[in-house]
Amino acid sequence: MHLLICCVLLVALTCGDAAMLSRSDWGARAPNPGVASMRSTPRNVIIHHSATRGCTDKSSCSALVRSFQRYHMDNNGWSDIGYNFVVGEDGNIYEGRGWGKVGAHARGHNSNSIGICVIGNFEHRTPNGAALSAAQSVINTGVRLGKISPSYRLRGHRDVGSTTCPGRRLYASIRRWSHYRA
Ligand SMILES: [Zn+2]
């Protein structure tokens, strides 16, 4: 058993994949009816920030993800947390709606994109390396699993909507990633 755990850790480190925490890991509520399935492989990845405080450990990041879900469901009346995935500066990936589900994060673009939110406000500071790696890991995993088109287009929320999201500094970062196209 111990050997197995070591091997799993070794593989995870070798692949450079951040940990993916399931909905039950962060204490998600069950979604309400109405979350649609994707009809085709999404061709876009849209990056957001939460415009909240940041977090650097699993417990505080989980609490923030629960608060996003609560706000999206109770205030906005959505069926579930809007994002497909959320990443924190703890380096973890938090499963939101997940793969193959239409999110509620970028009006007019949800059915053809995966929405990834980085926890924090990145108008005046850049996310740490752990959060940026986790976001890239979500994308790489999606391409590998066939859940994101290999020729996907990376964009910031402000590229497709009237918003400052994902913040000036995070936006500057993602514009340097290879799949970014304005
Ligand atoms: Zn956004």
Side-chain angles (χ1 to χ4, degrees), residues 48-49 121-124 158 164-172:
H48 303 264
H49 72 162
N121 188 321
F122 302 108
E123 186 62 25
H124 300 296
R158 63 168 65 181
T164 58
C165 181
R168 194 169 49 86
R169 298 289 295 274
L170 174 53
Y171 186 59

Side-chain angles (χ1 to χ4, degrees), residues 47-49 83 105 157 163 165-166:
I47 303 293
H48 303 264
H49 72 162
Y83 310 114
H105 56 90
H157 189 188
T163 173
C165 181

Side-chain angles (χ1 to χ4, degrees), residues 1-2 18 35 50 69 72 88-89 94 104 107 119-120 125 158 160 174:
M1 190 59 182
H2 190 69
V35 176
S50 61
Q69 185 190 33
H72 291 173
E89 289 180 295
Y94 296 81
R107 190 185 298 269
I119 303 172
R125 70 178 186 92
R158 63 168 65 181
V160 299
I174 65 166

Side-chain angles (χ1 to χ4, degrees), residues 12 15-20 41 45 85 87 93 98-99 114 116 133-150 152:
C15 296
D17 279 352
M20 170 81 75
T41 307
V45 173
F85 296 93
V87 303
I93 300 162
W99 302 122
I114 290 293
I116 302 170
S133 297
Q136 286 172 322
S137 175
V138 173
I139 300 170
N140 294 340
T141 300
V143 170
R144 196 169 67 238
L145 296 176
K147 304 296 186 183
I148 296 174
S149 165
Y152 72 90

